[in-house]
Amino acid sequence: MEKVLVIEDDEHISAALKLVLESEGYNIAFSEDGEQGIDMINSFNPDIILLDIMLSQKNGFEVCSSLRSNEEYSSIPVIMMSSYGETNNIVKCFQIGANDFVSKPFNMQELLARVKSHLLLKELNYEKRKLKEKVIEHSIEGVTITDAQGSISYVNPAFSKVTGYSAEEVIGKNPNILQSGRHGKSFYQHMWGSLLKYGKWQGEIWNRRKGGEVYPQMATITAIKNSDGVITNYAAMFYDMTEIKKNQKEIEYRAYYDSLTKIPNRQLFLDRLTQAINRAKREEHMVGVFFIDLDNFKHINDSLGHATGDIVLREVAKRLSNCAREVDTVSRLAGDEFSVIQDDLVDIEEAGVVAKRIIDALSHPFHHENNELFTTVSIGIAIYPLNGETSADILRNADMAMYHVKDFGKNHFQFFTDSLNEKAMKRRDLEDGLRKAINDDNFLVYYQPKVDLKSGKMVALEALARWPRNGTIVSPTDFIPIAETTGLITSLDKLILQKTCSFIKKMQETISSTLNVSINLSTKDLENLHLIRDVMDTIKRFGVKASNLELEVTESMIIRNVESAIKILQEFRDEGFSLSIDDFGTGYSSLSYLTKFPLSILKIDKAFIDDLESNENSQSIAKAIVYMAHAMKMLVIAEGVETQGQLDFLRSIGCDQIQGYIFSKPLPEDEVVELIKSGKTLSLG
């Protein structure tokens, strides 16, 4: 049983490591400070050490340096851990002889893989001859070892079996003799960049056998260092993925594609519909689902036979595919029933246009053995979210609409209900009113306070658009999606920014202390090439500083184009703006992405706050978000706090700020100014 010594002073991280490492069969020992950790090495004799940088007594750098200066311990692999992943820290780790570095919070699977990799390499360095005989020589995985310059010094029998090259043919040569030509220069630059920076690269690569056949392999390449931290060798382990890919592809194809028409089957259709609906929920757009049935197809089968019917079905699939966009899904549900998923639907009329196109395409005859075959289609259309919230609801309603067409003459299309037309008219009216309201400057800005949970004082505000119409305030959930799908959101956001800057200026002139104000950016804003220039021009015109404003973005916005979003947000950060991520936890952004963005504030979405008093899952998520954000040096704000119980829990887990009705609803300018002047504070109990 291999032994792992964990030198870490955070009991939560130690507990997590204990759970993961013991489940893999490792013998674990723990130390909370560096001095004790060094003492434990003699008694425990670890095979590998996980070492935190920030420790009491001796820090991680001192511990690692001490190990490397002692010949007895110099061969023990050391993986250093830290929440501070700056380049200087990483470089220093490798300079003092660490084998690897991981940033906190880390991915447990990745850490486990690193532990396994370094234990294997330790065995390679410590007992090279024995390892060759017992592991490498008999391994089903190919193994290649090169010197620091990349010349092959050793390959095992599995290498020869996979590549076709004997050891004599490759010793002294560079592994690039295996290159397939499928990967560009950037692929290898990334590989070597990872090896030089992190000491490891892992991934899928296409190589070429001696006979010329190109094949896929999964490979792990690791840099082997001496006691001075200098790379002396590179070790690569790989296995041939040809059969795996072949079998996987065949299994997936049979499971998800119709064998007759070669288009997605019902199972893949339902999976893609579920994905489309989930995406639509996050990004607030519509999804159109077409239920298509061939009219009188039974007559073709009965009169000309199933072979002829199959030919017609294949041709129908082709014509449907030609009518749809690349992003849409055309599938055969069963028999002569087909469906189309129209993803990212902006306007209901689009669905009608596509339906007419399908009807026209299928009105032309099918030619078979000098015969002209005719069939028409009945199409039922259901729209998410107008006609249902789930895949089952949408498909059922589209099916019902299709049968309505069957009942009234066929060869036509029908939306699920007549009320859909009324909704379309209502939407058109709302869109026209929205456009006019923006042009006429008929929008108000309400401000909701943000309250510090240590002092109970107001510390900032959030600007929220409000549209007064016909004596009432139109709900943002009604007009914001329309503003986004029509592109009016950019004009609206400019208007809100101007009004917010004007309000900040008034506060500066009338109130002794000015609160920072956050405004929301939309996806369309981030697509504006002149966004930063426009925002800077606006704040300069009103005499407002960038430090007076906080810009809020959502998860779904920034993961659409990660590199572009990082660039834009970093430029805003450089100008002095604070940046926050709104609605956190409701999207699918990777935590690895989150670490790349220059964010300083994280907002817990109201969805997790609503049932915080009764739902243990929501409590656990809130705790995890606060812990993670603080580990990343980010401020945490909870949205939608309404009850004392919610407030008490958020205070207990160290949440920094809240906003919600427990303190104040969003208020118009005059009322929020009076609230600020009153000096109202939140009762913290």
Side-chain angles (χ1 to χ4, degrees):
M1 182 183 293
E2 291 166 310
K3 299 179 179 180
V4 181
L5 174 60
V6 178
I7 306 177
E8 168 64 61
D9 59 2
D10 188 317
E11 61 181 7
H12 298 293
I13 293 177
S14 294
L17 288 171
K18 185 176 189 296
L19 181 66
V20 172
L21 292 171
E22 284 188 345
S23 70
E24 292 295 320
Y26 294 111
N27 185 5
I28 319 297
F30 292 90
S31 173
E32 294 182 354
D33 65 70
E35 200 73 56
Q36 181 191 41
I38 291 176
D39 292 336
M40 288 183 66
I41 294 174
N42 267 329
S43 58
F44 185 63
N45 192 25
D47 296 297
I48 190 169
I49 298 172
L50 303 183
L51 176 61
D52 185 27
I53 290 179
M54 304 302 292
L55 296 167
S56 58
Q57 304 302 322
K58 281 191 174 185
N59 64 38
F61 294 130
E62 294 171 318
V63 173
C64 187
S65 296
S66 178
L67 292 175
R68 292 300 177 244
S69 64
N70 188 323
E71 185 174 348
E72 185 179 354
Y73 305 145
S74 61
S75 64
I76 301 176
V78 176
I79 300 177
M80 302 197 74
M81 309 178 295
S82 177
S83 300
Y84 304 96
E86 292 88 357
T87 301
N88 289 343
N89 275 346
I90 298 174
V91 170
K92 186 173 181 180
C93 287
F94 290 114
Q95 286 176 338
I96 62 175
N99 299 81
D100 210 341
F101 174 91
V102 291
S103 296
K104 298 179 185 177
F106 41 70
N107 181 295
M108 284 297 183
Q109 288 184 330
E110 179 186 350
L111 181 63
L112 190 60
R114 290 174 184 253
V115 169
K116 290 180 178 178
S117 176
H118 286 296
L119 285 172
L120 178 62
L121 289 174
K122 179 196 173 196
E123 190 176 1
L124 178 65
N125 286 327
Y126 183 71
E127 253 180 310
K128 187 174 181 180
R129 181 182 58 81
K130 184 177 178 181
L131 185 61
K132 283 183 182 180
E133 293 175 353
K134 292 187 176 181
V135 180
I136 299 179
E137 294 290 346
H138 302 288
S139 173
I140 61 173
E141 293 185 327
V143 174
T144 310
I145 299 176
T146 74
D147 61 20
Q149 288 70 46
S151 294
I152 297 174
S153 57
Y154 171 80
V155 296
N156 71 341
F159 170 93
S160 299
K161 183 177 180 181
V162 172
T163 67
Y165 287 99
S166 67
E168 292 75 15
E169 290 176 302
V170 296
I171 297 297
K173 295 184 179 179
N174 192 285
N176 61 18
I177 63 172
L178 301 174
Q179 285 185 9
S180 65
R182 283 200 178 189
H183 302 292
K185 184 178 180 181
S186 61
F187 176 87
Y188 295 102
Q189 287 176 336
H190 172 75
M191 175 190 291
W192 281 104
S194 179
L195 280 168
L196 294 174
K197 187 174 182 179
Y198 304 111
K200 181 182 179 182
W201 177 87
Q202 184 176 45
E204 186 178 312
I205 186 171
W206 288 82
N207 275 341
R208 188 181 301 275
R209 306 188 208 275
K210 182 180 178 182
E213 178 193 355
V214 174
Y215 70 98
Q217 67 179 40
M218 180 60 70
T220 300
I221 306 174
T222 307
I224 301 173
K225 301 174 183 178
N226 62 18
S227 59
D228 296 323
V230 178
I231 294 175
T232 59
N233 300 89
Y234 293 98
M237 298 183 66
F238 66 89
Y239 58 87
D240 189 344
M241 296 180 65
T242 303
E243 286 303 313
I244 294 175
K245 280 189 170 291
K246 182 180 178 181
N247 294 337
Q248 182 182 17
K249 188 175 181 180
E250 180 66 23
I251 291 170
E252 288 179 354
Y253 189 86
R254 290 182 180 180
Y256 295 113
Y257 286 85
D258 177 54
S259 59
L260 175 66
T261 61
K262 311 305 181 186
I263 63 175
N265 62 15
R266 187 183 189 91
Q267 184 173 348
L268 183 53
F269 161 82
L270 291 173
D271 180 68
R272 289 190 178 175
L273 178 56
T274 299
Q275 291 182 35
I277 288 175
N278 288 338
R279 191 160 51 247
K281 286 179 183 177
R282 297 194 305 274
E283 301 172 5
E284 299 182 339
H285 62 242
M286 296 182 290
V287 177
V289 175
F290 295 48
F291 198 107
I292 303 167
D293 187 84
L294 302 185
D295 298 328
N296 304 316
F297 180 73
K298 187 176 184 296
H299 175 70
I300 294 176
N301 262 347
D302 291 345
S303 61
L304 300 174
H306 289 281
T308 302
D310 288 349
I311 292 171
V312 172
L313 291 174
R314 283 195 290 266
E315 183 61 26
V316 167
K318 289 179 184 177
R319 295 188 188 185
L320 288 176
S321 298
N322 289 335
C323 292
R325 304 169 302 173
E326 263 188 56
V327 295
D328 299 334
T329 295
V330 177
S331 62
R332 183 187 177 201
L333 300 181
D336 62 338
E337 294 176 346
F338 294 81
S339 184
V340 175
I341 301 172
Q342 196 172 16
D343 202 358
D344 198 10
L345 188 63
V346 175
D347 198 299
I348 296 170
E349 284 76 6
E350 286 183 43
V353 170
V354 173
K356 291 175 183 177
R357 190 185 306 153
I358 290 172
I359 291 171
D360 179 65
L362 295 178
S363 67
H364 300 289
F366 301 92
H367 298 277
H368 175 60
E369 295 181 352
N370 297 321
N371 293 321
E372 285 189 341
L373 307 177
F374 292 88
T375 183
T376 57
V377 290
S378 297
I379 305 174
I381 305 173
I383 306 294
Y384 169 86
L386 303 178
N387 303 137
E389 293 291 327
T390 68
S391 301
D393 291 339
I394 295 297
L395 186 58
R396 182 181 64 250
N397 292 339
D399 188 20
M400 290 175 64
M402 183 274 295
Y403 276 105
H404 181 81
V405 176
K406 293 279 190 184
D407 292 339
F408 287 88
K410 304 178 182 179
N411 195 28
H412 196 57
F413 71 92
Q414 172 69 50
F415 287 102
F416 171 53
T417 60
D418 291 336
S419 64
L420 192 61
N421 292 328
E422 296 176 12
K423 292 180 180 179
M425 292 176 63
K426 179 181 177 182
R427 183 189 184 284
R428 190 176 295 112
D429 174 66
L430 210 57
E431 179 180 331
D432 293 341
L434 180 62
R435 184 174 281 105
K436 188 175 187 303
I438 293 173
N439 291 336
D440 295 345
D441 192 11
N442 190 27
F443 264 87
L444 302 175
V445 180
Y446 278 34
Y447 299 89
Q448 186 170 38
K450 299 177 184 178
V451 181
D452 180 76
L453 288 186
K454 290 182 179 178
S455 66
K457 296 180 180 179
M458 282 188 287
V459 290
L461 302 168
E462 180 178 5
L464 301 166
R466 292 294 183 264
W467 178 17
R469 191 184 193 216
N470 300 329
T472 62
I473 298 294
V474 181
S475 171
T477 58
D478 289 334
F479 70 82
I480 292 296
I482 296 175
E484 290 180 336
T485 56
T486 58
L488 291 171
I489 191 69
T490 55
S491 298
L492 177 58
D493 286 347
K494 287 180 182 178
L495 184 61
I496 299 305
L497 175 62
Q498 292 169 6
K499 289 180 175 292
T500 300
C501 288
S502 176
F503 175 64
I504 292 174
K505 190 64 177 175
K506 288 180 185 177
M507 282 199 297
Q508 292 173 343
E509 295 171 352
T510 60
I511 305 175
S512 58
S513 61
T514 302
L515 300 181
N516 291 349
V517 182
S518 63
I519 61 171
N520 295 283
L521 294 181
S522 69
T523 302
K524 294 291 184 183
D525 289 330
L526 292 184
E527 294 172 356
N528 176 10
L529 298 177
H530 306 295
L531 174 63
I532 297 172
R533 184 197 66 189
D534 292 345
V535 172
M536 293 304 298
D537 288 346
T538 300
I539 67 173
K540 287 177 182 176
R541 187 165 73 250
F542 284 90
V544 172
K545 296 179 181 179
S547 57
N548 295 135
L549 285 166
E550 174 191 321
L551 305 179
E552 293 190 8
V553 296
T554 62
E555 285 184 288
S556 58
M557 288 168 53
I558 58 180
I559 65 173
R560 283 189 174 187
N561 189 333
V562 174
E563 297 305 322
S564 174
I566 291 174
K567 182 176 182 297
I568 292 170
L569 296 180
Q570 186 60 59
E571 289 184 36
F572 272 123
R573 184 69 176 267
D574 293 342
E575 292 289 351
F577 293 90
S578 294
L579 301 172
S580 69
I581 183 165
D582 197 9
D583 299 337
F584 183 77
T586 60
Y588 286 109
S589 63
S590 164
L591 291 180
S592 63
Y593 282 163
L594 187 60
T595 62
K596 297 178 182 179
F597 290 98
L599 303 167
S600 52
I601 300 167
L602 185 152
K603 300 185 75 174
I604 305 176
D605 185 67
K606 187 178 184 297
F608 299 118
I609 304 301
D610 287 341
D611 57 355
L612 202 56
E613 296 175 72
S614 58
N615 191 316
E616 291 185 2
N617 288 335
S618 293
Q619 293 174 1
S620 298
I621 291 171
K623 286 180 182 178
I625 291 174
V626 171
Y627 172 80
M628 180 196 67
H630 285 171
M632 296 172 64
K633 308 303 180 185
M634 296 172 68
L635 196 72
V636 183
I637 302 176
E639 298 178 293
V641 180
E642 298 178 356
T643 69
Q644 187 65 40
Q646 294 169 351
L647 177 66
D648 292 341
F649 181 83
L650 291 167
R651 289 188 67 206
S652 72
I653 63 173
C655 183
D656 301 296
Q657 298 176 17
I658 61 101
Q659 60 183 110
Y661 278 39
I662 194 170
F663 182 80
S664 173
K665 64 182 181 181
L667 300 171
E669 282 190 15
D670 293 340
E671 292 182 32
V672 81
V673 167
E674 291 303 315
L675 185 66
I676 295 171
K677 289 181 178 179
S678 73
K680 177 183 176 180
T681 59
L682 179 66
S683 176
L684 300 177

